[in-house]
Amino acid sequence: RSCVRQDNESMHSGLKFIVKPTQLCIAFGDGTGGLSAANRRTYVSNIEDLSGKWVYVTGVIEDQTTLEVYVDGVLKPGVLAGTTNLPMGGSSNEKALTGLWNSNGVAYRYKGGIDEIRIWDRALTASQINSSRCQMVEGNNLEGMWKFDEASGATTVDNSPRRSLGTLNGARFVASGAGCADLPSASH
């Protein structure tokens, strides 16, 4: 399981993007607390087995009722749950976590490779997802972009205008092997 998570609190505040071998989930909480579906929105898609493959996964939150997940630029069908009509909640004191997900007191740690994480300040369209995947991107619309190009150490550089350094815990550095065989002209 992999997760990009905005908060250190309950799953009902901020953002979660969970990647499992056969399932993608994107969720947000409205920040009002509680363990009720009334405080969140979740979109879950059952997908083909991703084990052992490099893929480009994307989660999009456009508004309270439009959540989407993509694999290699293809929208995946799923089920929307939760009933909040409030926007995503959170605070500026929260940390973004990658590769760790807590559920019912159990910590799940990601076992796999992550080549890059991008966080945008807006919802991308399918066309934008496809035109930016496997491409080097820059721009003021990036809230965060960690390429994980470091060969050692405990810090990863944010290549967005924010320049938020990330702390690596237990990372193993390897050549990614990530590529885009279906996009022969891609630069990566």
Side-chain angles (χ1 to χ4, degrees), residues 115-116 136 146-152 156-157 159 173 176:
D115 187 61
E116 183 175 286
M136 302 302 272
W146 297 268
K147 295 181 182 181
F148 302 107
D149 288 341
E150 296 78 14
S152 64
T156 186
V157 175
N159 293 276
F173 299 91
S176 76

Side-chain angles (χ1 to χ4, degrees), residues 119-121 137-145 159-162:
I119 300 175
W120 297 86
D121 68 354
V137 296
E138 295 180 5
N140 293 331
N141 296 110
L142 284 167
E143 291 289 318
M145 182 173 66
N159 293 276
S160 79
R162 288 182 173 262

